[in-house]
């Protein structure tokens, strides 16, 4: 407040109690927050009443919840005395909510009395969460590649939020690494700066890297179809420290389809010399769970990449969910960043050909330049 030019001078030294007032309504209540209410039943008469039963229910669009701490009746309530209760409920639905407070009691004359009061309020959505998935084709990855998750979180309330925690709870198939901090002088510093406040309508991006666990990565079939990634756990505070928490449903992404056969790179140099042979190592995986393949490898030259060796050679039979590694040699006749393309795999059983272009890129430099460097 002292640094904010829009506040009155000296506002930071005011006691908090001087600025607090009792609200005329419940105010804004957001999904994920804990709704708390203090209920007081006061005997305004000059008579003792008996068998007082106070019941508090919360009616939502889909259910009615009993929030009373005790359903037992109080034996008697003397004049000017109160029955107090504090109720709590973690709000899990948006829309209209009605707090129904019902009181029943017996007068001194034995007459049974009953009355109810209704308090209506709206539960609003505090955050807008959008997710994007990126499938990383790592040259040195295993059968299943890394998955990057970008979570965009927007504050759609009218007041600032303190983002206490945003984490990703991965599914049993993945390990997760958070990419929302950097190492500065041996210290882990958040990429969002020292203040973790999210202003109204502001959006913040969180990034996570998921790697499949070894026991799942070794199974080629796991890369196919829809895979469950995990769920986001978001904790924030608003106004005077009210805490809210939301968990998304299980996030799913459509894994990239590689068909029946997948070709990935296990090793490739970053920089090679012009017109000099260099070596790469490829892994060929039979992604089928039930069919054996008989493969033939063809190597097709491009305008800049030339393959060395015999094209059309037999690779032999490849059983379901198994892999084989190939060492290949090639050279480039053009300098610059060149794309490795031109590999063809033919399954002789089905007479089906799989084409692999833009497998990777290498930087081709003149040998003279490399010697000078």
């Amino acid at each position: 407040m002292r640094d904010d030019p829009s506040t009155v001078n000296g506002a930071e030294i005011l006691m908090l109690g001087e600025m607090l007032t009792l609200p005329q309504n419940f105010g804004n209540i957001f999904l994920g927050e804990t709704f708390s209410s203090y209920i007081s039943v006061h005997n305004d008469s000059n008579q003792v009443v008996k068998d007082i039963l106070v019941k508090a229910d919360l009616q939502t669009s889909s259910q009615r919840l009993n929030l009373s701490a005790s359903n037992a009746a109080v034996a008697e309530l003397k004049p000017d005395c109160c029955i107090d209760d504090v109720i709590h409920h973690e709000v899990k639905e948006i829309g209209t909510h009605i707090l129904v407070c019902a009181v029943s009691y017996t007068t001194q004359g034995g007459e049974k009395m009953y009355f109810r009061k209704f308090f209506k309020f709206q539960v609003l959505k505090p955050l807008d969460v959008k997710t994007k998935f990126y499938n990383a084709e790592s040259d040195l990855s295993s059968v299943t590649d890394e998955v990057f998750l970008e979570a965009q979180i927007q504050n759609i309330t009218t007041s600032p939020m303190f983002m206490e925690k945003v984490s990703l709870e991965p599914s049993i198939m993945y390990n997760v690494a958070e990419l929302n901090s950097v190492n500065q002088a041996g210290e882990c510093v958040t990429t969002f700066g020292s203040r973790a406040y999210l202003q109204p309508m502001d959006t913040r991006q969180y990034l996570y890297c998921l790697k499949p666990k070894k026991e799942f990565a070794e199974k080629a079939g796991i890369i196919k179809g829809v895979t469950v990634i995990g769920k986001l756990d978001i904790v924030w505070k608003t106004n005077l420290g009210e805490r809210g928490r939301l968990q998304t449903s299980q996030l799913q992404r459509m894994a990239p389809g590689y068909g029946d056969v997948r070709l990935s790179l296990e090793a490739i140099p970053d920089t090679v010399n012009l017109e000099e042979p260099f070596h790469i190592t490829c892994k060929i995986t039979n992604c089928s769970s039930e069919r054996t393949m008989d493969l033939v490898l063809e190597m097709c030259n491009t305008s800049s990449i030339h393959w060395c060796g015999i094209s059309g050679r037999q690779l032999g039979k490849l059983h379901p969910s198994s892999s084989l590694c190939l060492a290949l040699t090639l050279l480039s006749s053009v300098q610059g960043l060149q794309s490795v393309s031109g590999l063809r795999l033919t399954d002789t059983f089905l007479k089906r050909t799989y084409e692999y272009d833009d497998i990777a890129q290498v930087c081709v430099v003149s040998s003279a330049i490399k010697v000078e460097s």
Side-chain angles (χ1 to χ4, degrees), residues 78-278:
K78 296 178 181 179
D80 286 329
C81 291
C82 298
I83 298 174
D84 299 323
D85 191 13
V86 178
I87 58 174
H88 304 280
H89 174 67
E90 185 178 347
V91 181
K92 298 179 180 179
E93 295 181 47
I94 59 174
T96 303
H97 286 56
I98 302 174
L99 179 63
V100 183
C101 296
V103 180
S104 61
Y105 61 96
T106 304
T107 65
Q108 279 187 334
E111 183 181 4
K112 292 190 175 182
M113 305 295 289
Y114 176 82
F115 69 90
R116 291 190 301 176
K117 281 198 172 184
F118 301 89
F119 302 92
K120 188 176 180 180
F121 61 94
Q122 294 289 331
V123 173
L124 307 176
K125 184 180 175 184
L127 299 169
D128 187 32
V129 181
K130 296 177 182 178
T131 57
K132 294 181 182 179
F133 291 103
Y134 304 92
N135 300 305
E137 292 285 346
S138 174
D139 294 341
L140 302 178
S141 67
S142 58
V143 173
T144 309
D145 292 317
E146 299 172 346
V147 178
F148 289 90
L149 168 65
E150 177 190 345
Q152 298 181 357
I153 299 177
Q154 184 181 25
N155 176 7
I156 56 176
T157 71
T158 57
S159 59
M161 279 186 178
F162 174 78
M163 304 304 294
E164 187 172 292
K165 184 183 77 168
V166 179
S167 62
L168 177 64
E169 298 178 0
S171 67
I172 60 171
M173 293 185 294
Y174 290 96
N175 292 317
V176 65
E178 295 193 12
L179 305 179
N180 305 307
S181 59
V182 292
N183 195 317
Q184 293 183 353
E187 205 171 311
C188 200
V189 180
T190 175
T191 56
F192 306 116
S194 58
R195 296 186 179 181
Y197 292 101
L198 190 60
Q199 298 296 331
M201 304 312 294
D202 278 1
T203 301
R204 182 176 289 173
Q205 283 109 336
Y206 294 84
L207 186 62
Y208 304 90
C209 176
L210 295 113
K211 295 182 181 180
K213 295 179 180 178
K214 187 177 180 181
E215 59 267 29
F216 295 102
E218 292 173 350
K219 300 177 183 178
I222 206 73
I223 62 176
K224 301 174 69 176
V226 177
T227 57
V228 176
I229 296 297
K231 55 186 178 181
L232 286 169
D233 187 17
I234 307 169
V235 181
W236 71 91
K237 290 181 180 178
T238 57
N239 295 333
L240 297 178
E242 303 101 322
R243 176 173 291 176
R245 180 184 182 186
L246 282 180
Q247 278 192 331
T248 65
S249 56
Q250 288 287 351
L251 303 174
Q252 293 186 334
R253 61 113 188 188
M254 183 65 72
Y258 299 109
D260 295 330
V261 184
R262 185 188 176 193
L263 184 143
S264 59
L265 282 180
E266 294 292 292
I268 185 171
D270 294 328
T271 306
V272 299
N273 286 344
L274 180 67
E275 298 180 347
E276 290 185 11
F278 62 95

Side-chain angles (χ1 to χ4, degrees), residues 282-351:
C282 298
K283 176 188 275 189
I284 300 171
T285 303
N286 180 355
C287 296
S288 172
S289 59
E290 53 188 28
R291 189 168 63 83
T292 299
M293 298 180 179
D294 190 12
L295 298 176
V296 175
L297 175 67
E298 293 182 57
M299 300 180 292
C300 305
N301 294 335
T302 66
S303 59
S304 59
I305 293 294
H306 306 274
W307 295 92
C308 306
I310 301 173
S311 180
R313 62 170 164 155
Q314 296 275 347
L315 299 181
K317 293 182 179 180
L318 189 61
H319 296 289
S321 301
S322 60
S323 304
L324 63 88
C325 290
L326 287 176
L328 301 175
T329 304
L330 59 161
L331 61 86
S332 176
S333 59
V334 180
Q335 294 187 65
L337 193 63
Q338 302 301 326
S339 181
V340 177
S341 300
L343 288 180
R344 305 288 183 263
L345 288 172
T346 301
D347 182 4
T348 58
F349 288 150
L350 296 181
K351 305 297 182 184

Side-chain angles (χ1 to χ4, degrees), residues 8-126:
V8 179
N9 288 336
E12 73 279 0
I13 63 173
L14 287 174
M15 292 179 61
L16 191 59
E18 297 179 19
M19 296 185 289
L20 291 178
T21 57
L22 289 174
Q24 298 303 310
N25 52 48
F26 285 144
N28 292 328
I29 298 175
F30 296 105
L31 182 70
E33 293 184 341
T34 298
F35 167 70
S36 300
S37 181
Y38 168 62
I39 298 173
S40 180
V41 177
H42 184 264
N43 185 357
D44 290 336
S45 71
N46 55 5
Q47 299 179 1
V48 176
V49 293
K50 298 180 179 180
D51 301 327
I52 306 96
L53 181 62
V54 181
K55 188 178 180 182
D57 290 344
L58 187 63
Q59 178 70 55
T60 72
S61 58
S62 64
Q63 58 185 330
R64 189 182 183 103
L65 303 166
N66 181 19
L67 304 184
S68 300
S70 173
N71 292 320
V74 177
E76 66 175 25
L77 184 63
K78 296 178 181 179
D80 286 329
C81 291
C82 298
I83 298 174
D84 299 323
D85 191 13
V86 178
I87 58 174
H88 304 280
H89 174 67
E90 185 178 347
V91 181
K92 298 179 180 179
E93 295 181 47
I94 59 174
T96 303
H97 286 56
I98 302 174
L99 179 63
V100 183
C101 296
V103 180
S104 61
Y105 61 96
T106 304
T107 65
Q108 279 187 334
E111 183 181 4
K112 292 190 175 182
M113 305 295 289
Y114 176 82
F115 69 90
R116 291 190 301 176
K117 281 198 172 184
F118 301 89
F119 302 92
K120 188 176 180 180
F121 61 94
Q122 294 289 331
V123 173
L124 307 176
K125 184 180 175 184

